[in-house]
């Protein structure tokens, strides 16, 4: 329970790009969990990975980001290591999620490692098919990982679009809010179409997100998200 609260607090700091406060919190957690179970340590390293991913801010392939990228991959490997040694019913689910996290980072930072990435995705997919409900988070996470794989590692627009649409169907029944849907589907889907130069399709996707935000005119988070989507839309030419 305590780790869930820490994770939510960290998410707030990272969403607001309060990196100093986020790092202070992580240092506090590290002291607390030094003698804790492997399960708790795995969650800590997952949070540490979130921190470094935020520091990278989507830039995985420049000399300036090499150190943070190394730390990010190391944190993910540690989360996988500890969850393998952990006990408890959720360990397998978390292990697959952490493996997908690694695949996602490799797709963006080292897309030439296609063999390693595909091995992770295939292993995760096999486990997910046999052990999860059809509308589980892992299913749409896996679909989006495949969409990015077929965007950056082995470009194939038809496959990338197919997996985005699959994820879109699955997410509809699992998102807690439509704001979450925009972050999970709308923005990544538009990014992927932009990568392929399918700008008209990207614009249509962004407009669908804007229409969602307009349903909640009095809610500040949706107002801010609408502004973000409008800025993105202006850049898609």
């Amino acid at each position: 329970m305590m780790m869930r609260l820490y994770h939510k607090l960290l998410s707030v700091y990272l969403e607001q790009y309060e990196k100093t406060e986020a790092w202070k919190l992580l240092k506090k957690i590290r002291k607390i969990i030094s003698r804790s179970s492997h399960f708790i340590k795995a969650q800590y390293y997952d949070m540490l990975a979130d921190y470094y991913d935020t520091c990278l801010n989507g830039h995985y392939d420049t000399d300036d980001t090499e150190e943070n990228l190394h730390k990010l991959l190391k944190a993910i490997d540690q989360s996988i290591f500890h969850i393998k040694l952990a006990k408890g019913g959720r360990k397998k689910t978390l292990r697959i999620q952490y493996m997908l996290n690694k695949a996602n980072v490799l797709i963006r930072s080292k897309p030439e490692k296609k063999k390693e990435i595909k091995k992770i995705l295939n292993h995760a997919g096999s486990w997910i098919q046999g052990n999860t409900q059809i509308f589980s988070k892992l299913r749409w996470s896996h679909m989006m990982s495949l969409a990015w794989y077929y965007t950056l590692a082995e470009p194939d627009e038809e496959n990338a679009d197919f997996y985005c649409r699959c994820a879109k169907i699955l997410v509809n029944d699992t998102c807690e809010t439509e704001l979450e849907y925009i972050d999970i589907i709308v923005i990544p889907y538009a990014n992927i179409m932009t990568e392929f130069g399918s700008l008209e399709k990207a614009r249509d996707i962004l407009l669908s997100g804007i229409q969602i935000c307009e349903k909640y005119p009095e809610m500040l988070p949706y107002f801010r998200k609408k502004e973000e989507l409008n800025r993105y839309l202006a850049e898609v030419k």
Side-chain angles (χ1 to χ4, degrees):
M1 180 61 73
M2 185 59 69
M3 291 300 285
R4 286 185 185 179
L5 293 175
Y6 282 140
H7 209 155
K8 287 184 179 179
L9 180 56
L10 181 70
S11 295
V12 171
Y13 285 144
L14 295 180
E15 185 177 327
Q16 298 174 353
Y17 216 61
E18 294 284 351
K19 293 193 294 182
T20 301
E21 294 303 317
W23 185 248
K24 287 179 182 177
L25 177 63
L26 286 165
K27 286 175 69 177
K28 176 182 177 181
I29 297 171
R30 186 177 181 88
K31 289 179 181 178
I32 294 172
I33 61 104
S34 60
R35 295 186 180 181
S36 297
S37 67
H38 287 291
F39 191 83
I40 296 296
K41 288 178 180 176
Q43 293 177 77
Y44 162 76
Y45 281 108
D46 181 48
M47 287 189 280
L48 185 62
D50 285 344
Y51 169 81
Y52 286 122
D53 198 34
T54 299
C55 289
L56 285 164
N57 196 26
H59 303 291
Y60 297 92
D61 55 356
T62 67
D63 292 338
D64 294 338
T65 61
E66 188 174 349
E67 183 178 354
N68 278 335
L69 176 60
H70 174 75
K71 290 177 179 178
L72 169 57
L73 287 168
K74 185 177 180 180
I76 293 174
D77 283 340
Q78 283 295 308
S79 69
I80 294 170
F81 171 79
H82 283 289
I83 205 65
K84 282 181 180 178
L85 298 175
K87 298 178 181 179
R90 291 183 61 229
K91 63 171 288 185
K92 291 183 179 179
T93 300
L94 287 176
R95 182 187 173 199
I96 295 299
Q97 184 60 65
Y98 298 161
M99 289 175 68
L100 288 177
N101 292 346
K102 182 170 185 176
N104 292 335
V105 173
L106 290 176
I107 288 167
R108 289 164 173 77
S109 64
K110 303 177 188 295
E112 68 277 5
K113 292 192 171 185
K114 290 189 289 186
K115 188 174 181 180
E116 180 181 355
I117 297 167
K118 203 64 182 290
K119 183 178 179 180
I120 294 172
L121 293 176
N122 287 342
H123 176 79
S126 296
W127 189 89
I128 290 167
Q129 287 296 321
N131 296 277
T132 64
Q133 299 294 320
I134 191 166
F135 293 110
S136 71
K137 177 182 177 180
L138 279 181
R139 292 223 176 192
W140 58 253
S141 292
H142 184 240
M143 293 296 105
M144 287 308 295
S145 295
L146 285 167
W148 277 111
Y149 176 84
Y150 284 110
T151 301
L152 301 176
E154 193 177 323
D156 183 325
E157 184 175 356
E158 186 176 346
N159 268 331
D161 185 58
F162 170 75
Y163 285 116
C164 281
R165 286 186 283 110
C166 288
K168 181 179 177 180
I169 293 168
L170 297 176
V171 164
N172 276 331
D173 285 345
T174 57
C175 276
E176 293 183 5
T177 67
E178 290 194 279
L179 198 65
E180 187 179 12
Y181 171 82
I182 292 171
D183 287 333
I184 291 169
I185 296 295
V186 173
I187 294 175
Y189 196 177
N191 288 343
I192 286 171
M193 290 300 101
T194 301
E195 288 283 344
F196 283 109
S198 296
L199 303 186
E200 185 175 349
K201 189 159 191 173
R203 284 192 290 269
D204 288 343
I205 294 165
L206 291 170
L207 285 170
S208 73
I210 291 169
Q211 289 172 352
I212 291 172
C213 294
E214 289 174 343
K215 291 160 56 179
Y216 308 95
E218 298 181 0
M219 296 181 68
L220 186 58
Y222 285 92
F223 176 78
R224 289 173 175 166
K225 187 60 66 175
K226 180 182 175 181
E227 287 190 324
E228 178 187 340
L229 292 173
N230 274 317
R231 287 194 298 270
Y232 189 178
L233 184 62
E235 295 172 2
V236 180
K237 298 178 181 178

